[in-house]
């Protein structure tokens, strides 16, 4: 089996991990991120909006792993 550690669970790391898992049935991916719980991270504030801008190669990657529609459906719109 293919064993891979992905360092960083941001948009790029998560997209890479998902793409790899969908392409390799024998893959085992371990995600490693510095924050244990992003909703409890010191910089997270549930009362404000956060912008994630994914363009160019990143947008193509998100479409390739077929999660763009889910992002659109689950967006929290700006206030």
């Amino acid at each position: 089996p293919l064993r891979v550690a992905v360092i960083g669970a941001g948009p790029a790391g998560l997209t890479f991990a998902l793409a790899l898992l969908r392409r390799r049935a024998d893959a085992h991916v371990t995600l490693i991120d510095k924050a244990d719980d992003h909703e409890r991270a010191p910089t997270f504030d549930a009362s404000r909006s956060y912008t994630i801008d994914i363009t160019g190669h990143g947008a193509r990657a998100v479409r390739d792993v077929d999660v763009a529609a889910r992002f659109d459906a689950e967006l929290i719109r700006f206030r």
Side-chain angles (χ1 to χ4, degrees):
L2 176 66
R3 298 178 62 80
V4 175
V6 177
I7 311 300
L14 292 174
T15 301
F16 171 75
L18 181 58
L20 178 62
L21 289 168
R22 288 187 175 174
R23 284 169 178 74
R24 292 283 303 259
D26 67 330
H28 174 81
V29 175
T30 301
L31 283 169
I32 300 168
D33 196 71
K34 66 181 176 181
D36 291 331
D37 182 348
H38 289 281
E39 291 189 5
R40 294 175 192 247
T43 58
F44 179 78
D45 180 354
S47 68
R48 67 173 285 239
S49 296
Y50 292 86
T51 301
I52 298 175
D53 188 16
I54 301 174
T55 61
H57 294 299
R60 283 190 292 280
V62 167
R63 284 192 301 272
D64 185 57
V65 295
D66 198 30
V67 295
R70 182 172 178 187
F71 283 163
D72 291 341
E74 295 185 25
L75 279 176
I76 299 171
R77 302 288 173 198
F78 285 108
R79 296 184 191 116

